[in-house]
Amino acid sequence: MPSSLFTQPLFLKSSNFYEVNIRQYTTEGTFNAFASHLPRLKNMGVQILWLMPIHPIGLINRKGFLGSYYSVKDYCSVNQEYGTAEDFKNLVLEVHALGMKIIIDWVANHAAWDNVWTTTNPDFFVQNEEGKFINAYDWDDVIQINHSNPAQQVAMIKAMDFWVKKFDIDGFRADLAHLTPLPFWKNARLQLSSSKKDLVWLAETEDPHYHDAFDVSYTWQWMHHIELFVKGEKPLRDCITALETINKTFPENALRMYFTSNHDENSWNGTEYEKYGIFAEPLAVFSCLYDSVPLIYSGQEIPNKKRLQFFDRDTIGFTKEPALHQFYKKLLSLRRLYKYVFENNEFVFIENLIAKNILGFTIKKNDNCIVVLLNLNNFRVQEHILIKNVEGNFTNFFTEQKVEVYEKIIFNANAGSYVVLVK
């Protein structure tokens, strides 16, 4: 982070996010019902829970029956559909008791047409020549906040501080962070740090400048590039080149969040299985093990293969033993066991594999080494792979089979499969 105002929390680089859609998570759609899943998520290795907006939702121009989570009616209240303020406070206590952290979604650019400020402080919103509120962009269920009003910024930061002080939350995920001026976020972080140290700041943006205020940003461009590769519209080489080019535009210690799904992707563009097919799992391996603070969305561990309704109730439908629980548990445990490597790493792509649609990279630090090989072909491959400066006795992390590597390895893999070797 280039700004000297802030210090990045030490735990973040080897950590992970799990996005929680309270409305769809359980049949009840409440904080209390979700709380019953906490021990399972702890066992899976989840470290930071990100809750989609928990505020009351506007009624005017509401979309669907329940409305958009991102149409905030009151920044200092809890959506009663999810439970009471006391229920949320108890949820935070349970999360902390299990050694996890919890952050909430924050929408600073727009609000509901019937947001409480429209009555108490109408000047907090942009108005046209007739003195009427205007919708934000083409989202007709929300109105544009007036960022040029200093009093509005003071009130917004006070509202954020309310959740830190009263509920002891651990940070924020900023919705469309780049639509709100960067000075606001810098000021918010500076002021809130006096209420609680080591708050987590996750920005939905790919603007490198926003790392002046945030710890972690999104990786939409990588997601779009790799989706084009899967569709046969772009070679893997172009994806890697784009990734490396993008990375150079960010500060050296900027953390990026990789994912194969989230609430927007799932509802509007399709599940990871619609987008990636048999490559959904190997790309999840990439998201978890590349230079990333990975994200897992609600239900990916089932795995959930349906698009969830955005404005109405559409319960995910968890099984007693989610089929990919162990898959994600292994990946997240690898990040924890090799914490030193992930926090002080050297990521190197294995160049001679890219033309063969095998995505391979090494993660090294001193004598510790991780080798990741992903078969992104629609057919079985058997390759004798040369990996420079890598040798010794490795273990296949998923099968626990011992493997000797002396700069060469045989990669014998089915379509869409993967190998992770550790030393």
Side-chain angles (χ1 to χ4, degrees), residues 45 62 72 79 92 109 118 186 189 209 233 256 269 287 296 299 309 321 352 362 367 394 408 414:
R62 172 178 283 198
V72 177
N79 188 338
V92 175
N109 180 67
T118 59
K186 293 172 72 173
R189 180 162 187 170
H209 299 95
E233 300 176 15
R256 314 297 311 289
N269 299 322
S287 294
I296 301 168
Q309 295 294 315
E321 296 181 1
N352 58 350
T362 59
D367 292 332
F394 283 73
K408 285 188 178 181
N414 291 325

mmCIF file of all heavy atoms in Angstrom, residues 45 62 72 79 92 109 118 186 189 209 233 256 269 287 296 299 309 321 352 362 367 394 408 414:
data_model
loop_
_atom_site.group_PDB
_atom_site.id
_atom_site.type_symbol
_atom_site.label_atom_id
_atom_site.label_comp_id
_atom_site.label_asym_id
_atom_site.label_seq_id
_atom_site.Cartn_x
_atom_site.Cartn_y
_atom_site.Cartn_z
ATOM 1 N N GLY A 45 -12.033 -24.071 6.964
ATOM 2 C CA GLY A 45 -10.867 -23.203 6.920
ATOM 3 C C GLY A 45 -11.173 -21.756 6.608
ATOM 4 O O GLY A 45 -10.257 -20.959 6.377
ATOM 5 N N ARG A 62 -38.878 -0.592 -5.614
ATOM 6 C CA ARG A 62 -38.237 -1.873 -5.272
ATOM 7 C C ARG A 62 -38.322 -2.840 -6.445
ATOM 8 O O ARG A 62 -39.341 -2.958 -7.116
ATOM 9 C CB ARG A 62 -38.908 -2.476 -4.044
ATOM 10 C CG ARG A 62 -38.444 -3.881 -3.716
ATOM 11 C CD ARG A 62 -39.095 -4.447 -2.469
ATOM 12 N NE ARG A 62 -38.496 -3.890 -1.263
ATOM 13 C CZ ARG A 62 -38.633 -4.450 -0.048
ATOM 14 N NH1 ARG A 62 -39.352 -5.551 0.097
ATOM 15 N NH2 ARG A 62 -38.065 -3.896 1.002
ATOM 16 N N VAL A 72 -30.189 0.635 0.040
ATOM 17 C CA VAL A 72 -30.155 0.789 1.496
ATOM 18 C C VAL A 72 -31.139 1.864 1.959
ATOM 19 O O VAL A 72 -31.066 3.018 1.531
ATOM 20 C CB VAL A 72 -28.733 1.129 1.977
ATOM 21 C CG1 VAL A 72 -28.717 1.372 3.483
ATOM 22 C CG2 VAL A 72 -27.759 0.022 1.590
ATOM 23 N N ASN A 79 -31.792 -5.229 8.658
ATOM 24 C CA ASN A 79 -32.954 -5.721 7.919
ATOM 25 C C ASN A 79 -33.698 -6.735 8.783
ATOM 26 O O ASN A 79 -33.159 -7.789 9.121
ATOM 27 C CB ASN A 79 -32.492 -6.376 6.615
ATOM 28 C CG ASN A 79 -33.643 -6.745 5.696
ATOM 29 O OD1 ASN A 79 -34.780 -6.896 6.136
ATOM 30 N ND2 ASN A 79 -33.349 -6.904 4.420
ATOM 31 N N VAL A 92 -21.902 -12.015 15.479
ATOM 32 C CA VAL A 92 -20.519 -11.520 15.516
ATOM 33 C C VAL A 92 -19.758 -12.166 16.670
ATOM 34 O O VAL A 92 -18.600 -12.588 16.509
ATOM 35 C CB VAL A 92 -20.494 -9.986 15.647
ATOM 36 C CG1 VAL A 92 -19.054 -9.486 15.812
ATOM 37 C CG2 VAL A 92 -21.136 -9.327 14.425
ATOM 38 N N ASN A 109 -22.155 4.793 -2.587
ATOM 39 C CA ASN A 109 -22.415 5.622 -3.773
ATOM 40 C C ASN A 109 -23.887 5.928 -3.991
ATOM 41 O O ASN A 109 -24.227 6.950 -4.583
ATOM 42 C CB ASN A 109 -21.867 4.935 -5.028
ATOM 43 C CG ASN A 109 -22.112 5.757 -6.275
ATOM 44 O OD1 ASN A 109 -21.541 6.837 -6.432
ATOM 45 N ND2 ASN A 109 -22.988 5.275 -7.160
ATOM 46 N N THR A 118 -33.308 11.022 2.928
ATOM 47 C CA THR A 118 -34.069 11.809 1.957
ATOM 48 C C THR A 118 -35.031 12.760 2.665
ATOM 49 O O THR A 118 -35.419 13.793 2.107
ATOM 50 C CB THR A 118 -34.867 10.900 1.009
ATOM 51 O OG1 THR A 118 -35.772 10.091 1.770
ATOM 52 C CG2 THR A 118 -33.939 10.014 0.197
ATOM 53 N N LYS A 186 -10.159 7.202 2.145
ATOM 54 C CA LYS A 186 -8.962 7.431 2.954
ATOM 55 C C LYS A 186 -9.334 8.045 4.298
ATOM 56 O O LYS A 186 -8.808 7.653 5.342
ATOM 57 C CB LYS A 186 -7.983 8.319 2.198
ATOM 58 C CG LYS A 186 -7.382 7.664 0.958
ATOM 59 C CD LYS A 186 -6.565 8.628 0.118
ATOM 60 C CE LYS A 186 -5.262 8.997 0.785
ATOM 61 N NZ LYS A 186 -4.400 9.802 -0.119
ATOM 62 N N ARG A 189 -11.095 5.353 6.475
ATOM 63 C CA ARG A 189 -10.159 4.402 7.084
ATOM 64 C C ARG A 189 -9.365 5.054 8.207
ATOM 65 O O ARG A 189 -9.141 4.442 9.262
ATOM 66 C CB ARG A 189 -9.216 3.827 6.031
ATOM 67 C CG ARG A 189 -8.227 2.835 6.621
ATOM 68 C CD ARG A 189 -7.593 1.937 5.606
ATOM 69 N NE ARG A 189 -6.797 0.914 6.257
ATOM 70 C CZ ARG A 189 -6.267 -0.133 5.645
ATOM 71 N NH1 ARG A 189 -6.468 -0.298 4.342
ATOM 72 N NH2 ARG A 189 -5.560 -1.012 6.304
ATOM 73 N N HIS A 209 -5.208 2.957 -7.802
ATOM 74 C CA HIS A 209 -5.083 4.082 -6.877
ATOM 75 C C HIS A 209 -5.846 3.850 -5.577
ATOM 76 O O HIS A 209 -5.488 4.402 -4.539
ATOM 77 C CB HIS A 209 -5.571 5.370 -7.549
ATOM 78 C CG HIS A 209 -4.804 5.751 -8.765
ATOM 79 N ND1 HIS A 209 -5.214 5.401 -10.039
ATOM 80 C CD2 HIS A 209 -3.630 6.427 -8.918
ATOM 81 C CE1 HIS A 209 -4.339 5.860 -10.922
ATOM 82 N NE2 HIS A 209 -3.369 6.476 -10.272
ATOM 83 N N GLU A 233 -12.146 -18.449 -27.428
ATOM 84 C CA GLU A 233 -12.018 -17.163 -28.101
ATOM 85 C C GLU A 233 -10.694 -16.467 -27.808
ATOM 86 O O GLU A 233 -10.437 -15.379 -28.349
ATOM 87 C CB GLU A 233 -13.179 -16.253 -27.691
ATOM 88 C CG GLU A 233 -14.554 -16.817 -28.056
ATOM 89 C CD GLU A 233 -15.693 -15.956 -27.555
ATOM 90 O OE1 GLU A 233 -15.435 -14.787 -27.174
ATOM 91 O OE2 GLU A 233 -16.837 -16.453 -27.527
ATOM 92 N N ARG A 256 -4.807 -8.912 -4.115
ATOM 93 C CA ARG A 256 -5.885 -9.055 -5.090
ATOM 94 C C ARG A 256 -6.748 -10.261 -4.712
ATOM 95 O O ARG A 256 -6.237 -11.257 -4.203
ATOM 96 C CB ARG A 256 -5.325 -9.265 -6.501
ATOM 97 C CG ARG A 256 -4.204 -8.322 -6.893
ATOM 98 C CD ARG A 256 -4.623 -6.868 -6.945
ATOM 99 N NE ARG A 256 -5.843 -6.638 -7.707
ATOM 100 C CZ ARG A 256 -5.947 -6.743 -9.049
ATOM 101 N NH1 ARG A 256 -4.889 -7.075 -9.773
ATOM 102 N NH2 ARG A 256 -7.084 -6.500 -9.667
ATOM 103 N N ASN A 269 -24.586 -13.729 -14.613
ATOM 104 C CA ASN A 269 -23.795 -14.306 -15.711
ATOM 105 C C ASN A 269 -23.694 -15.821 -15.670
ATOM 106 O O ASN A 269 -23.184 -16.425 -16.606
ATOM 107 C CB ASN A 269 -22.389 -13.697 -15.704
ATOM 108 C CG ASN A 269 -22.422 -12.200 -15.909
ATOM 109 O OD1 ASN A 269 -23.216 -11.692 -16.691
ATOM 110 N ND2 ASN A 269 -21.579 -11.473 -15.193
ATOM 111 N N SER A 287 -7.483 -19.863 -8.121
ATOM 112 C CA SER A 287 -7.928 -18.742 -7.302
ATOM 113 C C SER A 287 -7.406 -18.832 -5.875
ATOM 114 O O SER A 287 -7.097 -17.818 -5.254
ATOM 115 C CB SER A 287 -9.464 -18.674 -7.278
ATOM 116 O OG SER A 287 -9.973 -18.380 -8.559
ATOM 117 N N ILE A 296 -14.635 -17.475 -1.750
ATOM 118 C CA ILE A 296 -15.586 -18.560 -1.983
ATOM 119 C C ILE A 296 -16.971 -17.983 -1.741
ATOM 120 O O ILE A 296 -17.200 -17.317 -0.724
ATOM 121 C CB ILE A 296 -15.332 -19.758 -1.046
ATOM 122 C CG1 ILE A 296 -13.913 -20.297 -1.247
ATOM 123 C CG2 ILE A 296 -16.370 -20.867 -1.282
ATOM 124 C CD1 ILE A 296 -13.485 -21.283 -0.175
ATOM 125 N N GLY A 299 -22.356 -21.519 -1.002
ATOM 126 C CA GLY A 299 -22.837 -22.702 -1.715
ATOM 127 C C GLY A 299 -21.872 -23.306 -2.706
ATOM 128 O O GLY A 299 -22.142 -24.382 -3.241
ATOM 129 N N GLN A 309 -31.832 -16.328 -7.529
ATOM 130 C CA GLN A 309 -32.605 -15.114 -7.769
ATOM 131 C C GLN A 309 -32.014 -13.980 -6.938
ATOM 132 O O GLN A 309 -31.592 -14.175 -5.808
ATOM 133 C CB GLN A 309 -34.070 -15.335 -7.393
ATOM 134 C CG GLN A 309 -34.785 -16.352 -8.255
ATOM 135 C CD GLN A 309 -34.922 -15.877 -9.690
ATOM 136 O OE1 GLN A 309 -35.278 -14.724 -9.939
ATOM 137 N NE2 GLN A 309 -34.617 -16.748 -10.632
ATOM 138 N N GLU A 321 -23.582 -33.015 3.976
ATOM 139 C CA GLU A 321 -22.132 -33.072 3.793
ATOM 140 C C GLU A 321 -21.805 -32.553 2.393
ATOM 141 O O GLU A 321 -21.785 -33.329 1.434
ATOM 142 C CB GLU A 321 -21.610 -34.502 3.982
ATOM 143 C CG GLU A 321 -21.818 -35.043 5.382
ATOM 144 C CD GLU A 321 -21.276 -36.460 5.543
ATOM 145 O OE1 GLU A 321 -20.728 -37.003 4.550
ATOM 146 O OE2 GLU A 321 -21.391 -37.007 6.640
ATOM 147 N N ASN A 352 6.881 -23.143 -20.532
ATOM 148 C CA ASN A 352 6.840 -24.129 -21.615
ATOM 149 C C ASN A 352 5.554 -24.953 -21.647
ATOM 150 O O ASN A 352 5.364 -25.787 -22.531
ATOM 151 C CB ASN A 352 8.060 -25.065 -21.543
ATOM 152 C CG ASN A 352 8.155 -25.798 -20.218
ATOM 153 O OD1 ASN A 352 7.427 -25.485 -19.282
ATOM 154 N ND2 ASN A 352 9.060 -26.770 -20.147
ATOM 155 N N THR A 362 4.911 -22.204 -9.962
ATOM 156 C CA THR A 362 5.577 -22.605 -8.719
ATOM 157 C C THR A 362 5.496 -21.455 -7.726
ATOM 158 O O THR A 362 5.477 -20.277 -8.107
ATOM 159 C CB THR A 362 7.048 -22.981 -8.953
ATOM 160 O OG1 THR A 362 7.742 -21.866 -9.509
ATOM 161 C CG2 THR A 362 7.160 -24.175 -9.888
ATOM 162 N N ASP A 367 13.708 -23.159 0.961
ATOM 163 C CA ASP A 367 13.598 -24.578 0.619
ATOM 164 C C ASP A 367 12.154 -25.049 0.469
ATOM 165 O O ASP A 367 11.903 -26.197 0.106
ATOM 166 C CB ASP A 367 14.288 -25.437 1.690
ATOM 167 C CG ASP A 367 15.796 -25.243 1.697
ATOM 168 O OD1 ASP A 367 16.346 -24.909 0.627
ATOM 169 O OD2 ASP A 367 16.417 -25.415 2.761
ATOM 170 N N PHE A 394 8.762 -34.422 -2.958
ATOM 171 C CA PHE A 394 7.497 -33.710 -2.831
ATOM 172 C C PHE A 394 6.390 -34.674 -2.417
ATOM 173 O O PHE A 394 6.533 -35.898 -2.503
ATOM 174 C CB PHE A 394 7.104 -33.053 -4.158
ATOM 175 C CG PHE A 394 7.867 -31.795 -4.468
ATOM 176 C CD1 PHE A 394 9.206 -31.842 -4.866
ATOM 177 C CD2 PHE A 394 7.256 -30.549 -4.376
ATOM 178 C CE1 PHE A 394 9.906 -30.691 -5.163
ATOM 179 C CE2 PHE A 394 7.951 -29.388 -4.664
ATOM 180 C CZ PHE A 394 9.272 -29.455 -5.063
ATOM 181 N N LYS A 408 12.306 -32.535 -13.542
ATOM 182 C CA LYS A 408 11.355 -33.127 -14.480
ATOM 183 C C LYS A 408 10.271 -33.872 -13.722
ATOM 184 O O LYS A 408 10.515 -34.444 -12.657
ATOM 185 C CB LYS A 408 12.054 -34.072 -15.459
ATOM 186 C CG LYS A 408 12.860 -33.384 -16.536
ATOM 187 C CD LYS A 408 13.362 -34.379 -17.562
ATOM 188 C CE LYS A 408 14.129 -33.671 -18.666
ATOM 189 N NZ LYS A 408 14.608 -34.623 -19.710
ATOM 190 N N ASN A 414 -6.271 -36.270 -16.348
ATOM 191 C CA ASN A 414 -7.511 -36.227 -17.113
ATOM 192 C C ASN A 414 -7.885 -34.787 -17.441
ATOM 193 O O ASN A 414 -7.371 -33.839 -16.852
ATOM 194 C CB ASN A 414 -8.649 -36.874 -16.317
ATOM 195 C CG ASN A 414 -8.475 -38.370 -16.172
ATOM 196 O OD1 ASN A 414 -7.978 -39.032 -17.092
ATOM 197 N ND2 ASN A 414 -8.874 -38.913 -15.039
#
